[in-house]
Amino acid sequence: MFCSVTVWYNPDASNVENLLTYSSLCGKCYIVDNSDGDNSGLAARIPNSVYISNGQNLGIAAALNVGCSRALEDGFEWCMTMDQDSSWNPDELSRYFELCAKYASDTDVSFCPSARYEMPTSYLGDAKRFLRSLLGCGNKADALSGKQEPPLERSAVDCCITSGNVISLEAWRKIGCFYEPFFIDEVDFEFCFRLGKSGFKIIKFENCVMGHVLGSPRKTFYPCVSHHSGVRLYYIFRNAFFLKKMHPDYFKKMRYAEQIRKRVMGLVFNFNFSQLKYFFMALRDFRRGRLGKFPQKSL
């Protein structure tokens, strides 16, 4: 039997609805709340939920560790970690859990689905695609035929996002849990990198699809990797810098340097200069070795 750990932060009714899409298939649904207020009333709408309030925002890593620790104490061996904005089709999740149980082993200790979400777009990108269509670029025959290779049932990957990740709680304990100094962002990838270094494997099921929200997608002039607040960008940049120091091989393999460059260029060419300062703040705090929660006094 699988359980779930979902991290809440100022949740609303839609987050309850998201959780209800998978709660019936979980032995228990641990809700770890990072909000300042009490949301036990919302959690009470979920029959098999266990509500745990941190009373403050301790970051996603700490919240996940609280939930996983409780699940391990209650005798669960496998746990699915979830974001509050993610949801499942029950039939998809049932098939996903069946595959996880089928392939679980001493080495295969982490599983993930594909995620379905709206990607950010740009006017410049639309113009490029229009010009390519006029010039006849691309393989039209393949596009018109609609023939595509069916995805593999499973494949080994280096990392996966937090939401939908089914992990062995024993492996989670062995490698030292989620890295709390990161607070938020890159927590999932850092955990995955340590799994790989410890000889464990992460398996992705391409045919299992979960609904997931990534930032607030909107069309911009220049291609933008994602749309986040300045503080969120601070965590993304700062923790990426620390990932390079902690896991240099994975940093290079996952092409993090290119991702950072694209984010910075997105800020510059979309004239988000007010957010660009968070990049330099992240670089400053990385050089100072500062981790943890964003220092509000820096604003």
Side-chain angles (χ1 to χ4, degrees):
M1 177 62 73
F2 299 90
C3 69
S4 65
V5 171
T6 305
V7 179
W8 273 4
Y9 182 68
N10 298 331
D12 56 27
S14 68
N15 303 133
V16 174
E17 293 300 318
N18 287 337
L19 213 157
L20 285 170
T21 64
Y22 55 88
S23 61
S24 63
L25 293 172
C26 299
K28 283 186 180 179
C29 294
Y30 297 94
I31 301 171
V32 185
D33 194 355
N34 269 340
S35 309
D36 292 332
D38 180 10
N39 294 293
S40 57
L42 288 175
R45 301 180 189 179
I46 302 154
N48 58 338
S49 66
V50 177
Y51 179 74
I52 305 169
S53 176
N54 286 332
Q56 59 179 314
N57 188 3
L58 299 181
I60 192 170
L64 289 172
N65 286 336
V66 167
C68 289
S69 295
R70 180 67 179 274
L72 194 60
E73 290 174 4
D74 290 345
F76 286 99
E77 297 180 1
W78 294 88
C79 171
M80 178 175 68
T81 57
M82 292 291 290
D83 291 340
Q84 65 182 18
D85 294 327
S86 300
S87 61
W88 278 96
N89 175 294
D91 291 335
E92 285 282 307
L93 180 58
S94 179
R95 184 161 58 88
Y96 177 52
F97 279 166
E98 288 177 3
L99 289 170
C100 291
K102 177 181 178 181
Y103 292 108
S105 68
D106 291 339
T107 55
D108 296 354
V109 300
S110 176
F111 303 96
C112 61
S114 294
R116 179 182 62 250
Y117 45 79
E118 183 182 352
M119 293 298 294
T121 57
S122 69
Y123 295 105
L124 184 59
D126 288 347
K128 286 183 177 179
R129 283 186 288 273
F130 177 70
L131 287 174
R132 286 175 62 87
S133 67
L134 289 179
L135 296 173
C137 298
N139 193 331
K140 290 184 178 180
D142 289 345
L144 292 173
S145 68
K147 292 182 179 180
Q148 293 181 337
E149 289 294 325
L152 298 173
E153 180 181 58
R154 73 187 193 279
S155 59
V157 294
D158 290 309
C159 57
C160 62
I161 63 174
T162 297
S163 212
N165 184 18
V166 170
I167 58 175
S168 160
L169 290 172
E170 180 60 23
W172 163 83
R173 184 190 62 80
K174 281 184 177 179
I175 70 166
C177 311
F178 293 98
Y179 189 59
E180 296 187 12
F182 269 11
F183 199 74
I184 60 172
D185 284 304
E186 310 305 330
V187 169
D188 41 13
F189 282 19
E190 195 283 326
F191 177 79
C192 291
F193 296 162
R194 275 187 289 129
L195 277 178
K197 285 184 174 181
S198 300
F200 295 118
K201 294 181 181 179
I202 303 166
I203 305 299
K204 183 177 183 180
F205 299 118
E206 299 287 353
N207 288 317
C208 295
V209 183
M210 171 194 69
H212 182 62
V213 176
L214 181 64
S216 302
R218 63 183 182 274
K219 185 168 287 190
T220 55
F221 168 72
Y222 185 86
C224 190
V225 176
S226 59
H227 301 276
H228 294 293
S229 68
V231 173
R232 187 71 184 273
L233 286 172
Y234 165 85
Y235 286 117
I236 292 172
F237 287 130
R238 185 200 66 182
N239 293 348
F241 295 145
F242 276 101
L243 276 180
K244 181 179 181 181
K245 181 178 180 180
M246 297 163 65
H247 307 285
D249 293 340
Y250 282 102
F251 185 92
K252 183 177 181 180
K253 186 175 183 180
M254 301 303 296
R255 302 173 72 177
Y256 261 93
E258 181 178 345
Q259 294 179 45
I260 293 174
R261 179 182 61 82
K262 285 182 177 180
R263 289 185 187 276
V264 173
M265 289 179 66
L267 294 177
V268 172
F269 288 104
N270 285 312
F271 309 105
N272 291 331
F273 300 118
S274 62
Q275 289 191 328
L276 189 60
K277 68 178 181 180
Y278 290 92
F279 167 78
F280 294 106
M281 292 169 65
L283 182 60
R284 176 203 64 193
D285 285 353
F286 163 68
R287 289 173 173 171
R288 293 177 177 177
R290 177 183 291 168
L291 282 164
K293 194 173 183 178
F294 175 78
Q296 292 293 335
K297 63 182 180 180
S298 296
L299 293 176

